[in-house]
Structure formats: C-alpha cells, structure tokens
C-alpha cells in the first residue's frame, strides 16, 4: 500500500505552494475519479492536498455577459443552474448524460477537466502503459481497442478522453482560469488538453503546481440551439463510444456561425474546426451536413476494432447539426 500524507489547504495560494514544494502531491476535490485511481494503485501520490473547502463554489455573472463557474461547483449545480439551462443547454445535456446522479452531486468542474482515461490497460498495473509509465508500451494499439481513438493518436497512446462536459465546453469556446506559483492565467479550452504525441502521460497544459480556479463561459447567443448527442453501449452510467456537441446559427436560410466538437474519438475533446469553416455561408441541409461530417473525419485512422466509429461519428454529426439547425433540443 502507498503511504501518503493528507493536508487541507486554507487558500488557493496555500494549495499552490504546497503542490510546488512537493511535485508528487495531488489536489483532491470531490475525488470521484482520483479515489478510483488510488484504489487501483494507478496513482501513488506522496501527499493529497484537499482543496474542497476553498472559495471556488459559486457560479457568477460577469460584467461582459460571461458566466464564471468556480472549480468546486458540482456537476449537478452546473446542470441545474437557470442561466446555464437557458443559455447553454448543450452543457446541461452533456452533464446529465454522464455518470450517475450520486456522482454528479460530488464531482466538480475542475475535477471533470482532469479526468483520466478509462482505457482498461491504463487502469490495470499488470499491463504496460506509456500513459501510466512512459516507455513501457501501448498494449491497446494492438490489443482490444474498440473504445479507443480514431483521431490524433500516436504510436505512444491511443486512449480517449472520457468527459462529456469537456466536449460541450470545447464547443462553447470556454476558457480555463488557473492559479500558479507565478501568477494567474487563462487557457482557451481548446488548448487546455493535449494530444498524446510522445508524452501521453501529460493530459493537460497545466504547469507544475497550477490549480484550476474557474471556467468561463463566454456569451454565445446561438448556444441556445445547442445539441449534445451521446452514443454508448447502454443508456445508464456508460462512457461514450462517440459524442457530438453542435450549435448552429441560421440567418436568411444560411449558416452564419457554428460550433462542432466530438468526444470519444481522441485523447482530448476534438474541435472540428475545418468542418466549421466549411459550413459558414452554406445552406443548412443534409447534403451540407454530410460534407461537413466527411471533412471532420478526413484524418481518421481507425484501429483493428474501432472502424465502426468513423461512420457512427459521421451519422451523429449529421443528426446533431440537423437538430440544432431546427432550433435545438435533445437529439
């Protein structure tokens, strides 16, 4: 058993300083993912820094119309918030499609961003894993890989990011606010997570000691038409085979603006920027959406067991874009 110390941080600065002083320490908020990693001996920190009592538990309106979500706001509180249900329904739908009610009551905004992959090889120390122990290999690449990546993978790792919430935040142009040993900074959500490349052990672009303090949702009027479509093996408590977050703005029967992101396809939530650019100015019809879906999956490189994801994702994109263009709702 791994021995570790436990300390409760009193301020954000205190938490950051403790993490800087001990590079093998880890922050713990709700702990819904971290506790599982500890029990499986996937993570063996020297210290747990409890941040659950810090003042990061509010959802606040900002002067510019944005909404700031504190890093310790629970998933349930986000999904149930009146402004989010009204103006960012895509986020509510994404959250409610994930986990269980009991987990959503405890899981936090910041913790959701830092979820670890559910690749079974990563969770089982009996197998080698570059993500868990760099340089040991990736058995998923040639093993059972039905749930794994079709975009942005490398020969080092083919795992996928598990979060539903993060796919919606990617589509919403969210911004992550962090506090570090030097200063505070903001990270555009599309740049927060990383592709595996040669460092699959690094999931995010957080610097050592940095702590997520909040997530900002910018004002995006057409987000009200947002759709989150999740396809999975069962309807309860199951991670996505693939998911799609889409929001379309129609003016004079043409697409004026659009957001499109995918989950279950890559090591990070995948923003389909090329498909978005193609859609601008086009008619909102099935032919246009089919072409956009093909563009979004142009770079797909399926593995032995997950070739089905390519066509499944294309169909999901067409469906999500169609429903959003019709005004939104649950796809």
């Amino acid at each position: 058993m791994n021995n570790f110390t436990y300390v409760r941080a009193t301020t954000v600065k205190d938490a950051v300083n403790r993490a800087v002083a001990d590079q093998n320490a880890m922050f713990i908020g709700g702990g819904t993912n971290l506790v599982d990693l500890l029990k499986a001996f996937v993570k063996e920190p020297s210290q747990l820094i409890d941040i659950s009592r810090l003042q990061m538990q509010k959802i606040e309106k900002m002067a510019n119309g944005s909404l700031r979500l504190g890093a310790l706001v629970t998933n349930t509180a986000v999904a149930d918030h009146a402004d989010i249900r009204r103006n960012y329904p895509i986020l509510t739908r994404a959250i409610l499609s994930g986990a269980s009610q009991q987990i959503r009551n405890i899981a936090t905004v910041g913790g959701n961003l830092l979820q670890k992959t559910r690749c079974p090889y990563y969770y089982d120390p009996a197998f080698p894993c570059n993500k868990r122990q760099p340089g040991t290999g990736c058995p998923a690449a040639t093993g059972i890989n039905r749930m794994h990546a079709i975009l942005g993978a490398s020969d080092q790792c083919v795992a996928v990011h598990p979060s539903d919430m993060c796919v919606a935040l990617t589509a919403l142009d969210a911004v992550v606010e962090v506090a570090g040993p030097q200063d505070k900074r903001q990270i555009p959500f599309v740049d927060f997570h990383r592709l595996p490349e040669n460092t699959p052990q690094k999931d995010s672009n957080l610097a050592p000691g940095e702590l997520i303090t909040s997530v900002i949702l910018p004002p995006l009027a057409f987000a009200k038409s947002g759709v989150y479509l999740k396809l999975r093996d069962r309807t309860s408590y199951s991670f996505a085979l693939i998911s799609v977050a889409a929001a379309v703005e129609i003016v004079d029967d043409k697409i004026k603006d659009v957001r499109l992101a995918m989950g279950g396809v890559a090591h990070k939530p995948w923003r389909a920027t090329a498909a978005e650019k193609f859609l601008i100015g086009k008619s909102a019809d099935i032919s246009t959406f089919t072409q956009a879906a093909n563009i979004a999956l142009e770079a797909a490189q399926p593995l032995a067991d997950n070739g089905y994801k390519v066509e499944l994702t294309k169909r999901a994109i067409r469906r999500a874009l169609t429903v959003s263009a019709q005004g939104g709702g649950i796809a």
Side-chain angles (χ1 to χ4, degrees):
M1 180 175 179
N2 175 56
N3 292 319
F4 58 86
T5 59
Y6 167 88
V7 63
R8 181 174 290 164
T10 56
T11 63
V12 169
K13 184 177 180 180
D14 177 44
V16 169
N17 288 342
R18 290 180 182 277
V20 171
D22 183 355
Q23 295 292 303
N24 199 36
M26 298 185 71
F27 298 121
I28 183 168
T32 55
N33 185 204
L34 179 56
V35 171
D36 287 341
L37 295 169
L38 296 176
K39 290 191 294 185
F41 300 101
V42 175
K43 290 294 182 181
E44 297 184 320
S46 56
Q47 181 180 84
L48 288 183
I49 304 170
D50 186 348
I51 61 169
S52 63
R53 306 296 178 88
L54 301 184
Q55 299 303 305
M56 302 187 294
Q57 301 168 341
K58 295 181 179 179
I59 298 177
E60 303 171 299
K61 290 184 179 179
M62 301 173 67
N64 66 353
S66 297
L67 210 58
R68 175 180 279 124
L69 317 180
L72 291 175
V73 177
T74 67
N75 287 184
T76 294
V78 174
D80 287 347
H81 194 274
D83 286 336
I84 292 175
R85 294 176 68 89
R86 182 187 309 111
N87 298 318
Y88 308 95
I90 189 173
L91 182 55
T92 290
R93 291 168 186 143
I95 292 172
L96 294 180
S97 74
S100 65
Q101 183 63 61
Q102 293 89 341
I103 290 176
R104 293 195 296 268
N105 288 344
I106 299 298
T108 63
V109 169
N112 201 299
L113 271 59
L114 297 177
Q115 281 191 78
K116 296 297 182 182
T117 181
R118 269 33 178 217
C119 173
Y121 296 105
Y122 173 74
Y123 267 81
D124 190 346
F127 287 95
C129 174
N130 287 326
K131 195 168 185 59
R132 192 179 62 247
Q133 188 175 356
T136 58
C138 178
T142 55
I144 300 173
N145 47 42
R146 175 175 174 269
M147 299 286 290
H148 290 70
I150 57 174
L151 290 167
S154 73
D155 59 359
Q156 298 292 304
C157 181
V158 296
V160 296
H161 195 272
S163 172
D164 293 292
M165 182 180 186
C166 288
V167 181
L169 291 174
T170 299
L172 291 171
D173 294 331
V175 175
V176 184
E177 294 190 312
V178 304
Q182 305 302 322
D183 206 349
K184 299 178 180 179
R185 67 180 179 121
Q186 295 185 335
I187 308 172
F189 205 88
V190 292
D191 298 326
F192 182 81
H193 296 98
R194 296 168 55 99
L195 292 177
E197 299 176 332
N198 293 320
T199 54
Q201 72 277 15
K202 297 181 179 180
D203 287 323
S204 76
N205 284 310
L206 285 174
E210 283 189 324
L211 173 66
I212 298 170
T213 57
S214 61
V215 172
I216 296 175
L217 299 177
L220 192 67
F222 68 94
K224 293 180 180 180
S225 70
V227 168
Y228 188 74
L229 177 58
K230 179 177 181 177
L231 303 180
R232 46 190 165 173
D233 286 327
R234 59 181 187 273
T235 57
S236 176
Y237 196 51
S238 183
F239 294 99
L241 296 173
I242 64 98
S243 62
V244 176
V248 181
E249 181 180 19
I250 307 294
V251 176
D252 297 329
D253 297 323
K254 300 292 182 181
I255 299 171
K256 180 181 178 181
D257 210 346
V258 61
R259 298 292 185 275
L260 181 63
M262 298 175 284
V265 298
H267 194 260
K268 61 180 287 185
W270 190 271
R271 181 75 174 265
T273 52
E276 289 177 350
K277 291 178 181 177
F278 165 80
L279 286 165
I280 302 299
K282 303 292 195 307
S283 298
D285 56 42
I286 192 63
S287 175
T288 297
F289 295 153
T290 297
Q291 293 179 71
N294 289 336
I295 290 170
L297 274 296
E298 274 182 341
Q301 294 183 312
L303 302 165
D305 300 327
N306 68 358
Y308 73 93
K309 281 193 175 187
V310 178
E311 181 59 28
L312 188 65
T313 306
K314 290 180 181 180
R315 294 187 182 197
I317 290 171
R318 292 198 297 267
R319 173 64 173 163
L321 290 172
T322 299
V323 174
S324 181
Q326 294 171 348
I330 298 175

